[in-house]
Amino acid sequence: MASFDAKSRSVIQRDDDLTMVDTMISFTLLCDKDHEFEGWFKDSAAFEDQRQAGQIACPACGSHVVQQGLSRPNISSGKMQTSARTEQALRMRESLKALRREIEGTHENVGGKFAEEARKIHYGEKEARGIYGQTSGDEAKELLEEGIAITPIPWIEDIPEN
């Protein structure tokens, strides 16, 4: 799914090929204004690639000048690590479900016409409003090239509990 917030000109896009990553590393990050925040990456190379590409921004001030801070070591038994990872994955899933509910409650679902509608809003052809929907990878790339920001997120389905 994708969301276009007319106020901030941000887009959230779902890629149908998105898969869950088994292991993520938590880094403590610092911006050039000394704001500390947490980031999750596949590995340190992924962090460095995203940092150099300017894809990491401080949530407090928006600065892209980010470095890795001191992180506490994670020393625990395998059983404790598995339990912590499971709990962490559940919290992350709940957060993503909450994000989905927020988007669905505040944005209009335009389905497969997402790219077309996002352009019309961006270029002032339609009234600014929050929208979400689907778009292809090629369309997403074109939106970026036109200056319409895109941030992919996993679109978590609500699965009924038994």
Side-chain angles (χ1 to χ4, degrees):
M1 297 308 247
S3 169
F4 178 85
D5 181 350
K7 198 186 275 185
S8 64
R9 298 280 187 222
S10 63
V11 178
I12 303 168
Q13 183 223 334
R14 173 188 173 206
D15 182 352
D16 289 331
D17 295 329
L18 189 63
T19 57
M20 291 288 285
V21 176
D22 290 38
T23 305
M24 301 288 284
I25 299 171
S26 171
F27 289 140
T28 299
L29 305 175
L30 293 168
C31 77
D32 60 337
K33 295 179 179 56
D34 290 327
H35 297 123
E36 185 176 300
F37 58 102
E38 185 177 63
W40 290 86
F41 303 91
K42 179 180 176 187
D43 53 33
S44 57
F47 160 73
E48 192 58 34
D49 290 345
Q50 290 181 34
R51 187 188 67 78
Q52 288 180 2
Q55 295 174 334
I56 303 171
C58 173
C61 67
S63 173
H64 291 275
V65 180
V66 175
Q67 65 182 1
Q68 199 172 342
L70 293 176
S71 296
R72 59 185 164 96
N74 184 7
I75 302 171
S76 61
S77 71
K79 188 175 185 178
M80 288 175 65
Q81 288 177 0
T82 300
S83 175
R85 280 196 305 258
T86 300
E87 188 175 314
Q88 189 175 45
L90 289 172
R91 282 194 313 264
M92 186 180 297
R93 181 175 181 75
E94 287 306 312
S95 294
L96 290 169
K97 284 170 47 179
L99 176 61
R100 177 181 178 165
R101 286 190 296 271
E102 175 70 21
I103 291 169
E104 288 175 331
T106 59
H107 294 67
E108 177 187 343
N109 184 354
V110 295
K113 294 183 179 183
F114 177 78
E116 176 185 341
E117 288 295 312
R119 283 188 180 98
K120 287 179 182 177
I121 292 169
H122 182 75
Y123 293 113
E125 297 170 17
K126 284 205 168 180
E127 184 178 330
R129 68 192 193 286
I131 64 170
Y132 71 98
Q134 301 87 24
T135 190
S136 70
D138 289 340
E139 283 286 348
K141 184 178 177 183
E142 289 176 16
L143 289 170
L144 278 172
E145 290 170 355
E146 293 175 42
I148 303 172
I150 295 175
T151 304
I153 63 165
W155 198 250
I156 301 295
E157 301 293 330
D158 278 325
I159 301 171
E161 294 182 24
N162 294 334

